[in-house]
PDB file of all heavy atoms in Angstrom:
ATOM      1  N   VAL W  10      -0.267  -0.531 -13.513  1.00  0.00           N
ATOM      2  CA  VAL W  10      -0.078  -1.605 -12.379  1.00  0.00           C
ATOM      3  C   VAL W  10      -0.277  -0.884 -11.095  1.00  0.00           C
ATOM      4  O   VAL W  10       0.090   0.195 -10.949  1.00  0.00           O
ATOM      5  CB  VAL W  10       1.222  -2.191 -12.455  1.00  0.00           C
ATOM      6  CG1 VAL W  10       2.433  -1.290 -12.371  1.00  0.00           C
ATOM      7  CG2 VAL W  10       1.367  -3.329 -11.389  1.00  0.00           C
ATOM      8  N   GLY W  11      -1.044  -1.605 -10.245  1.00  0.00           N
ATOM      9  CA  GLY W  11      -1.294  -1.072  -8.896  1.00  0.00           C
ATOM     10  C   GLY W  11      -0.465  -1.938  -8.007  1.00  0.00           C
ATOM     11  O   GLY W  11      -0.228  -3.178  -8.156  1.00  0.00           O
ATOM     12  N   VAL W  12      -0.034  -1.403  -6.834  1.00  0.00           N
ATOM     13  CA  VAL W  12       0.566  -2.090  -5.796  1.00  0.00           C
ATOM     14  C   VAL W  12      -0.383  -2.306  -4.730  1.00  0.00           C
ATOM     15  O   VAL W  12      -1.021  -1.479  -4.171  1.00  0.00           O
ATOM     16  CB  VAL W  12       1.931  -1.420  -5.363  1.00  0.00           C
ATOM     17  CG1 VAL W  12       1.604   0.016  -4.786  1.00  0.00           C
ATOM     18  CG2 VAL W  12       2.551  -2.223  -4.200  1.00  0.00           C
ATOM     19  N   GLN W  13      -0.496  -3.680  -4.287  1.00  0.00           N
ATOM     20  CA  GLN W  13      -1.530  -3.979  -3.280  1.00  0.00           C
ATOM     21  C   GLN W  13      -0.747  -4.124  -1.931  1.00  0.00           C
ATOM     22  O   GLN W  13       0.196  -4.913  -1.827  1.00  0.00           O
ATOM     23  CB  GLN W  13      -2.286  -5.214  -3.600  1.00  0.00           C
ATOM     24  CG  GLN W  13      -3.445  -5.512  -2.685  1.00  0.00           C
ATOM     25  CD  GLN W  13      -4.175  -6.741  -2.751  1.00  0.00           C
ATOM     26  OE1 GLN W  13      -3.551  -7.834  -2.664  1.00  0.00           O
ATOM     27  NE2 GLN W  13      -5.391  -6.744  -3.148  1.00  0.00           N
ATOM     28  N   ILE W  14      -1.235  -3.529  -0.894  1.00  0.00           N
ATOM     29  CA  ILE W  14      -0.731  -3.469   0.527  1.00  0.00           C
ATOM     30  C   ILE W  14      -1.706  -4.201   1.400  1.00  0.00           C
ATOM     31  O   ILE W  14      -2.875  -4.025   1.139  1.00  0.00           O
ATOM     32  CB  ILE W  14      -0.126  -2.196   0.831  1.00  0.00           C
ATOM     33  CG1 ILE W  14      -1.253  -1.163   1.095  1.00  0.00           C
ATOM     34  CG2 ILE W  14       1.001  -1.795   0.007  1.00  0.00           C
ATOM     35  CD1 ILE W  14      -0.879   0.090   1.612  1.00  0.00           C
ATOM     36  N   PHE W  15      -1.239  -4.689   2.424  1.00  0.00           N
ATOM     37  CA  PHE W  15      -2.290  -5.127   3.530  1.00  0.00           C
ATOM     38  C   PHE W  15      -1.539  -4.872   4.850  1.00  0.00           C
ATOM     39  O   PHE W  15      -0.427  -4.637   4.962  1.00  0.00           O
ATOM     40  CB  PHE W  15      -2.469  -6.694   3.361  1.00  0.00           C
ATOM     41  CG  PHE W  15      -1.494  -7.570   3.840  1.00  0.00           C
ATOM     42  CD1 PHE W  15      -1.271  -8.090   5.061  1.00  0.00           C
ATOM     43  CD2 PHE W  15      -0.364  -7.862   2.824  1.00  0.00           C
ATOM     44  CE1 PHE W  15      -0.361  -8.947   5.437  1.00  0.00           C
ATOM     45  CE2 PHE W  15       0.621  -8.885   3.192  1.00  0.00           C
ATOM     46  CZ  PHE W  15       0.724  -9.383   4.596  1.00  0.00           C
ATOM     47  N   GLY W  16      -2.455  -4.653   5.829  1.00  0.00           N
ATOM     48  CA  GLY W  16      -2.123  -4.320   7.161  1.00  0.00           C
ATOM     49  C   GLY W  16      -3.367  -3.837   7.926  1.00  0.00           C
ATOM     50  O   GLY W  16      -4.537  -3.859   7.376  1.00  0.00           O
ATOM     51  N   SER W  17      -3.219  -3.438   9.213  1.00  0.00           N
ATOM     52  CA  SER W  17      -4.389  -3.044   9.897  1.00  0.00           C
ATOM     53  C   SER W  17      -4.065  -1.768  10.769  1.00  0.00           C
ATOM     54  O   SER W  17      -4.960  -1.376  11.440  1.00  0.00           O
ATOM     55  CB  SER W  17      -4.781  -4.165  10.933  1.00  0.00           C
ATOM     56  OG  SER W  17      -3.654  -4.430  11.851  1.00  0.00           O
ATOM     57  N   GLU W  18      -2.934  -1.239  10.657  1.00  0.00           N
ATOM     58  CA  GLU W  18      -2.575  -0.014  11.432  1.00  0.00           C
ATOM     59  C   GLU W  18      -2.472   1.182  10.454  1.00  0.00           C
ATOM     60  O   GLU W  18      -1.773   1.254   9.696  1.00  0.00           O
ATOM     61  CB  GLU W  18      -1.156  -0.281  12.233  1.00  0.00           C
ATOM     62  CG  GLU W  18      -1.188  -1.402  13.145  1.00  0.00           C
ATOM     63  CD  GLU W  18       0.135  -1.792  13.518  1.00  0.00           C
ATOM     64  OE1 GLU W  18       0.675  -1.003  14.389  1.00  0.00           O
ATOM     65  OE2 GLU W  18       0.648  -2.794  13.311  1.00  0.00           O
ATOM     66  N   PRO W  19      -3.492   2.086  10.602  1.00  0.00           N
ATOM     67  CA  PRO W  19      -3.533   3.289   9.762  1.00  0.00           C
ATOM     68  C   PRO W  19      -2.322   4.052   9.535  1.00  0.00           C
ATOM     69  O   PRO W  19      -2.006   4.499   8.375  1.00  0.00           O
ATOM     70  CB  PRO W  19      -4.636   4.196  10.315  1.00  0.00           C
ATOM     71  CG  PRO W  19      -5.453   3.099  11.224  1.00  0.00           C
ATOM     72  CD  PRO W  19      -4.452   2.157  11.655  1.00  0.00           C
ATOM     73  N   ASP W  20      -1.644   4.204  10.659  1.00  0.00           N
ATOM     74  CA  ASP W  20      -0.348   5.146  10.544  1.00  0.00           C
ATOM     75  C   ASP W  20       0.732   4.430   9.664  1.00  0.00           C
ATOM     76  O   ASP W  20       1.419   4.989   8.808  1.00  0.00           O
ATOM     77  CB  ASP W  20       0.256   5.508  11.933  1.00  0.00           C
ATOM     78  CG  ASP W  20      -0.735   6.391  12.645  1.00  0.00           C
ATOM     79  OD1 ASP W  20      -1.665   6.975  12.082  1.00  0.00           O
ATOM     80  OD2 ASP W  20      -0.493   6.526  13.855  1.00  0.00           O
ATOM     81  N   ILE W  21       0.938   3.180   9.968  1.00  0.00           N
ATOM     82  CA  ILE W  21       1.905   2.351   9.159  1.00  0.00           C
ATOM     83  C   ILE W  21       1.572   2.209   7.732  1.00  0.00           C
ATOM     84  O   ILE W  21       2.255   2.317   6.798  1.00  0.00           O
ATOM     85  CB  ILE W  21       2.128   1.099   9.809  1.00  0.00           C
ATOM     86  CG1 ILE W  21       2.786   1.177  11.162  1.00  0.00           C
ATOM     87  CG2 ILE W  21       2.949   0.018   8.857  1.00  0.00           C
ATOM     88  CD1 ILE W  21       3.013  -0.150  12.019  1.00  0.00           C
ATOM     89  N   MET W  22       0.179   1.885   7.484  1.00  0.00           N
ATOM     90  CA  MET W  22      -0.323   1.754   6.079  1.00  0.00           C
ATOM     91  C   MET W  22      -0.007   3.157   5.335  1.00  0.00           C
ATOM     92  O   MET W  22       0.390   3.019   4.296  1.00  0.00           O
ATOM     93  CB  MET W  22      -1.809   1.423   6.162  1.00  0.00           C
ATOM     94  CG  MET W  22      -2.120   0.154   6.772  1.00  0.00           C
ATOM     95  SD  MET W  22      -1.823  -1.208   5.561  1.00  0.00           S
ATOM     96  CE  MET W  22      -3.154  -1.094   4.603  1.00  0.00           C
ATOM     97  N   ALA W  23      -0.324   4.287   6.015  1.00  0.00           N
ATOM     98  CA  ALA W  23      -0.203   5.441   5.328  1.00  0.00           C
ATOM     99  C   ALA W  23       1.226   5.743   5.022  1.00  0.00           C
ATOM    100  O   ALA W  23       1.536   6.300   3.958  1.00  0.00           O
ATOM    101  CB  ALA W  23      -0.846   6.650   6.160  1.00  0.00           C
ATOM    102  N   ARG W  24       2.206   5.509   6.001  1.00  0.00           N
ATOM    103  CA  ARG W  24       3.540   5.806   5.772  1.00  0.00           C
ATOM    104  C   ARG W  24       4.194   5.006   4.612  1.00  0.00           C
ATOM    105  O   ARG W  24       4.809   5.619   3.711  1.00  0.00           O
ATOM    106  CB  ARG W  24       4.335   5.459   7.061  1.00  0.00           C
ATOM    107  CG  ARG W  24       5.828   5.490   6.890  1.00  0.00           C
ATOM    108  CD  ARG W  24       6.591   5.137   8.154  1.00  0.00           C
ATOM    109  NE  ARG W  24       7.948   4.836   7.772  1.00  0.00           N
ATOM    110  CZ  ARG W  24       8.933   4.847   8.744  1.00  0.00           C
ATOM    111  NH1 ARG W  24       8.700   5.118   9.908  1.00  0.00           N
ATOM    112  NH2 ARG W  24      10.187   4.584   8.308  1.00  0.00           N
ATOM    113  N   GLU W  25       3.832   3.713   4.491  1.00  0.00           N
ATOM    114  CA  GLU W  25       4.328   2.831   3.482  1.00  0.00           C
ATOM    115  C   GLU W  25       3.729   3.064   2.191  1.00  0.00           C
ATOM    116  O   GLU W  25       4.418   3.019   1.184  1.00  0.00           O
ATOM    117  CB  GLU W  25       4.218   1.352   3.924  1.00  0.00           C
ATOM    118  CG  GLU W  25       4.966   1.053   5.189  1.00  0.00           C
ATOM    119  CD  GLU W  25       6.426   1.537   5.135  1.00  0.00           C
ATOM    120  OE1 GLU W  25       7.205   1.202   4.236  1.00  0.00           O
ATOM    121  OE2 GLU W  25       6.891   2.113   6.211  1.00  0.00           O
ATOM    122  N   ALA W  26       2.477   3.456   2.210  1.00  0.00           N
ATOM    123  CA  ALA W  26       1.777   3.850   0.948  1.00  0.00           C
ATOM    124  C   ALA W  26       2.416   5.092   0.308  1.00  0.00           C
ATOM    125  O   ALA W  26       2.510   5.125  -0.832  1.00  0.00           O
ATOM    126  CB  ALA W  26       0.201   4.007   1.201  1.00  0.00           C
ATOM    127  N   ALA W  27       2.800   6.041   1.193  1.00  0.00           N
ATOM    128  CA  ALA W  27       3.359   7.286   0.653  1.00  0.00           C
ATOM    129  C   ALA W  27       4.705   7.031   0.023  1.00  0.00           C
ATOM    130  O   ALA W  27       4.960   7.636  -0.995  1.00  0.00           O
ATOM    131  CB  ALA W  27       3.429   8.283   1.901  1.00  0.00           C
ATOM    132  N   ILE W  28       5.534   6.048   0.560  1.00  0.00           N
ATOM    133  CA  ILE W  28       6.808   5.632  -0.037  1.00  0.00           C
ATOM    134  C   ILE W  28       6.541   5.062  -1.312  1.00  0.00           C
ATOM    135  O   ILE W  28       7.142   5.338  -2.403  1.00  0.00           O
ATOM    136  CB  ILE W  28       7.480   4.814   0.996  1.00  0.00           C
ATOM    137  CG1 ILE W  28       7.899   5.480   2.204  1.00  0.00           C
ATOM    138  CG2 ILE W  28       8.735   4.168   0.234  1.00  0.00           C
ATOM    139  CD1 ILE W  28       8.467   4.647   3.293  1.00  0.00           C
ATOM    140  N   LEU W  29       5.553   4.086  -1.409  1.00  0.00           N
ATOM    141  CA  LEU W  29       5.264   3.338  -2.781  1.00  0.00           C
ATOM    142  C   LEU W  29       4.621   4.327  -3.772  1.00  0.00           C
ATOM    143  O   LEU W  29       4.961   4.147  -4.922  1.00  0.00           O
ATOM    144  CB  LEU W  29       4.276   2.286  -2.396  1.00  0.00           C
ATOM    145  CG  LEU W  29       4.839   1.086  -1.572  1.00  0.00           C
ATOM    146  CD1 LEU W  29       3.559   0.132  -1.208  1.00  0.00           C
ATOM    147  CD2 LEU W  29       5.895   0.327  -2.328  1.00  0.00           C
ATOM    148  N   ALA W  30       3.951   5.390  -3.307  1.00  0.00           N
ATOM    149  CA  ALA W  30       3.422   6.295  -4.268  1.00  0.00           C
ATOM    150  C   ALA W  30       4.414   7.059  -5.012  1.00  0.00           C
ATOM    151  O   ALA W  30       4.238   7.737  -6.106  1.00  0.00           O
ATOM    152  CB  ALA W  30       2.449   7.198  -3.689  1.00  0.00           C
ATOM    153  N   GLU W  31       5.704   7.127  -4.447  1.00  0.00           N
ATOM    154  CA  GLU W  31       6.693   7.848  -5.057  1.00  0.00           C
ATOM    155  C   GLU W  31       7.311   7.023  -6.218  1.00  0.00           C
ATOM    156  O   GLU W  31       8.181   7.502  -7.062  1.00  0.00           O
ATOM    157  CB  GLU W  31       7.841   8.262  -4.119  1.00  0.00           C
ATOM    158  CG  GLU W  31       7.464   9.290  -3.029  1.00  0.00           C
ATOM    159  CD  GLU W  31       8.395   9.463  -1.905  1.00  0.00           C
ATOM    160  OE1 GLU W  31       9.595   8.878  -2.029  1.00  0.00           O
ATOM    161  OE2 GLU W  31       8.222  10.339  -1.089  1.00  0.00           O
ATOM    162  N   ARG W  32       7.004   5.753  -6.301  1.00  0.00           N
ATOM    163  CA  ARG W  32       7.521   4.892  -7.344  1.00  0.00           C
ATOM    164  C   ARG W  32       6.556   4.857  -8.588  1.00  0.00           C
ATOM    165  O   ARG W  32       5.635   5.773  -8.617  1.00  0.00           O
ATOM    166  CB  ARG W  32       7.747   3.462  -6.821  1.00  0.00           C
ATOM    167  CG  ARG W  32       8.726   3.522  -5.627  1.00  0.00           C
ATOM    168  CD  ARG W  32       8.641   2.158  -4.977  1.00  0.00           C
ATOM    169  NE  ARG W  32       9.310   1.134  -5.675  1.00  0.00           N
ATOM    170  CZ  ARG W  32       9.987   0.101  -5.216  1.00  0.00           C
ATOM    171  NH1 ARG W  32      10.351   0.041  -3.941  1.00  0.00           N
ATOM    172  NH2 ARG W  32      10.492  -0.981  -5.951  1.00  0.00           N
ATOM    173  N   ASP W  33       6.829   4.063  -9.542  1.00  0.00           N
ATOM    174  CA  ASP W  33       6.097   4.079 -10.847  1.00  0.00           C
ATOM    175  C   ASP W  33       4.819   3.538 -10.753  1.00  0.00           C
ATOM    176  O   ASP W  33       4.248   3.086 -11.913  1.00  0.00           O
ATOM    177  CB  ASP W  33       6.988   3.581 -12.014  1.00  0.00           C
ATOM    178  CG  ASP W  33       8.212   4.449 -12.264  1.00  0.00           C
ATOM    179  OD1 ASP W  33       8.004   5.658 -12.115  1.00  0.00           O
ATOM    180  OD2 ASP W  33       9.185   3.981 -12.858  1.00  0.00           O
ATOM    181  N   PHE W  34       4.339   2.950  -9.661  1.00  0.00           N
ATOM    182  CA  PHE W  34       3.007   2.372  -9.605  1.00  0.00           C
ATOM    183  C   PHE W  34       1.911   3.449  -9.980  1.00  0.00           C
ATOM    184  O   PHE W  34       2.055   4.562  -9.708  1.00  0.00           O
ATOM    185  CB  PHE W  34       2.733   1.741  -8.255  1.00  0.00           C
ATOM    186  CG  PHE W  34       3.644   0.738  -7.842  1.00  0.00           C
ATOM    187  CD1 PHE W  34       4.656   0.960  -6.909  1.00  0.00           C
ATOM    188  CD2 PHE W  34       3.668  -0.539  -8.507  1.00  0.00           C
ATOM    189  CE1 PHE W  34       5.523   0.039  -6.519  1.00  0.00           C
ATOM    190  CE2 PHE W  34       4.682  -1.404  -8.230  1.00  0.00           C
ATOM    191  CZ  PHE W  34       5.474  -1.216  -7.080  1.00  0.00           C
ATOM    192  N   ASP W  35       0.770   2.899 -10.672  1.00  0.00           N
ATOM    193  CA  ASP W  35      -0.159   3.841 -11.134  1.00  0.00           C
ATOM    194  C   ASP W  35      -1.255   4.112 -10.078  1.00  0.00           C
ATOM    195  O   ASP W  35      -1.911   5.083 -10.054  1.00  0.00           O
ATOM    196  CB  ASP W  35      -0.799   3.311 -12.354  1.00  0.00           C
ATOM    197  CG  ASP W  35       0.194   3.266 -13.546  1.00  0.00           C
ATOM    198  OD1 ASP W  35       0.403   4.278 -14.157  1.00  0.00           O
ATOM    199  OD2 ASP W  35       0.764   2.233 -13.790  1.00  0.00           O
ATOM    200  N   PHE W  36      -1.426   3.109  -9.141  1.00  0.00           N
ATOM    201  CA  PHE W  36      -2.307   3.377  -7.950  1.00  0.00           C
ATOM    202  C   PHE W  36      -1.998   2.427  -6.832  1.00  0.00           C
ATOM    203  O   PHE W  36      -1.190   1.573  -6.956  1.00  0.00           O
ATOM    204  CB  PHE W  36      -3.735   3.100  -8.390  1.00  0.00           C
ATOM    205  CG  PHE W  36      -4.024   1.668  -8.973  1.00  0.00           C
ATOM    206  CD1 PHE W  36      -4.724   0.802  -8.065  1.00  0.00           C
ATOM    207  CD2 PHE W  36      -3.715   1.286 -10.198  1.00  0.00           C
ATOM    208  CE1 PHE W  36      -4.964  -0.503  -8.468  1.00  0.00           C
ATOM    209  CE2 PHE W  36      -4.111   0.053 -10.657  1.00  0.00           C
ATOM    210  CZ  PHE W  36      -4.695  -0.917  -9.883  1.00  0.00           C
ATOM    211  N   ILE W  37      -2.549   2.640  -5.637  1.00  0.00           N
ATOM    212  CA  ILE W  37      -2.248   1.939  -4.473  1.00  0.00           C
ATOM    213  C   ILE W  37      -3.556   1.177  -4.162  1.00  0.00           C
ATOM    214  O   ILE W  37      -4.709   1.718  -4.328  1.00  0.00           O
ATOM    215  CB  ILE W  37      -1.936   2.751  -3.297  1.00  0.00           C
ATOM    216  CG1 ILE W  37      -0.767   3.775  -3.610  1.00  0.00           C
ATOM    217  CG2 ILE W  37      -1.607   1.860  -2.023  1.00  0.00           C
ATOM    218  CD1 ILE W  37       0.561   3.105  -3.848  1.00  0.00           C
ATOM    219  N   ASP W  38      -3.524  -0.024  -3.896  1.00  0.00           N
ATOM    220  CA  ASP W  38      -4.646  -0.866  -3.457  1.00  0.00           C
ATOM    221  C   ASP W  38      -4.537  -1.406  -2.049  1.00  0.00           C
ATOM    222  O   ASP W  38      -3.404  -1.884  -1.681  1.00  0.00           O
ATOM    223  CB  ASP W  38      -4.941  -2.001  -4.441  1.00  0.00           C
ATOM    224  CG  ASP W  38      -6.219  -2.928  -4.098  1.00  0.00           C
ATOM    225  OD1 ASP W  38      -7.259  -2.394  -4.437  1.00  0.00           O
ATOM    226  OD2 ASP W  38      -6.021  -3.927  -3.508  1.00  0.00           O
ATOM    227  N   ILE W  39      -5.538  -1.484  -1.204  1.00  0.00           N
ATOM    228  CA  ILE W  39      -5.591  -2.169   0.042  1.00  0.00           C
ATOM    229  C   ILE W  39      -6.316  -3.432   0.020  1.00  0.00           C
ATOM    230  O   ILE W  39      -7.455  -3.467  -0.409  1.00  0.00           O
ATOM    231  CB  ILE W  39      -6.196  -1.144   1.007  1.00  0.00           C
ATOM    232  CG1 ILE W  39      -5.456   0.113   1.076  1.00  0.00           C
ATOM    233  CG2 ILE W  39      -6.126  -1.864   2.486  1.00  0.00           C
ATOM    234  CD1 ILE W  39      -6.079   1.139   2.161  1.00  0.00           C
ATOM    235  N   ASN W  40      -5.653  -4.450   0.435  1.00  0.00           N
ATOM    236  CA  ASN W  40      -6.296  -5.818   0.529  1.00  0.00           C
ATOM    237  C   ASN W  40      -7.135  -5.887   1.753  1.00  0.00           C
ATOM    238  O   ASN W  40      -6.662  -5.811   2.882  1.00  0.00           O
ATOM    239  CB  ASN W  40      -5.249  -6.850   0.508  1.00  0.00           C
ATOM    240  CG  ASN W  40      -5.799  -8.212   0.545  1.00  0.00           C
ATOM    241  OD1 ASN W  40      -6.617  -8.591   1.507  1.00  0.00           O
ATOM    242  ND2 ASN W  40      -5.452  -9.102  -0.491  1.00  0.00           N
ATOM    243  N   MET W  41      -8.446  -6.186   1.573  1.00  0.00           N
ATOM    244  CA  MET W  41      -9.397  -6.301   2.645  1.00  0.00           C
ATOM    245  C   MET W  41     -10.159  -7.553   2.404  1.00  0.00           C
ATOM    246  O   MET W  41     -11.274  -7.650   2.890  1.00  0.00           O
ATOM    247  CB  MET W  41     -10.213  -5.151   2.824  1.00  0.00           C
ATOM    248  CG  MET W  41      -9.491  -3.866   3.169  1.00  0.00           C
ATOM    249  SD  MET W  41     -10.714  -2.431   3.537  1.00  0.00           S
ATOM    250  CE  MET W  41      -9.508  -1.185   3.962  1.00  0.00           C
ATOM    251  N   GLY W  42      -9.549  -8.415   1.684  1.00  0.00           N
ATOM    252  CA  GLY W  42     -10.320  -9.613   1.302  1.00  0.00           C
ATOM    253  C   GLY W  42      -9.602 -11.043   1.535  1.00  0.00           C
ATOM    254  O   GLY W  42     -10.171 -12.004   1.306  1.00  0.00           O
ATOM    255  N   CYS W  43      -8.302 -10.904   1.792  1.00  0.00           N
ATOM    256  CA  CYS W  43      -7.573 -12.179   1.849  1.00  0.00           C
ATOM    257  C   CYS W  43      -8.037 -13.103   3.002  1.00  0.00           C
ATOM    258  O   CYS W  43      -8.297 -12.645   4.142  1.00  0.00           O
ATOM    259  CB  CYS W  43      -6.033 -11.847   2.176  1.00  0.00           C
ATOM    260  SG  CYS W  43      -5.040 -13.363   2.322  1.00  0.00           S
ATOM    261  N   PRO W  44      -8.402 -14.328   2.616  1.00  0.00           N
ATOM    262  CA  PRO W  44      -8.974 -15.215   3.723  1.00  0.00           C
ATOM    263  C   PRO W  44      -8.002 -16.108   4.360  1.00  0.00           C
ATOM    264  O   PRO W  44      -8.484 -16.926   5.329  1.00  0.00           O
ATOM    265  CB  PRO W  44      -9.992 -16.007   2.836  1.00  0.00           C
ATOM    266  CG  PRO W  44      -9.219 -16.243   1.526  1.00  0.00           C
ATOM    267  CD  PRO W  44      -8.436 -14.847   1.348  1.00  0.00           C
TER     268      PRO W  44
END
């Protein structure tokens, strides 16, 4: 399972992705398509 995150600020995206990567998710996904 991948965890999908969304946002527009690189620093915040990186910080929260790093926290999520410590959990049991198999990959991180960035949403760039929500309309």
Side-chain angles (χ1 to χ4, degrees):
V10 55
V12 56
Q13 187 183 68
I14 61 175
F15 71 95
S17 61
E18 299 171 65
D20 291 345
I21 293 177
M22 295 281 282
R24 170 181 165 163
E25 299 309 311
I28 294 172
L29 292 173
E31 295 177 357
R32 299 171 67 149
D33 288 335
F34 299 112
D35 296 278
F36 63 99
I37 309 292
D38 181 79
I39 301 175
N40 181 302
M41 297 183 178
C43 179

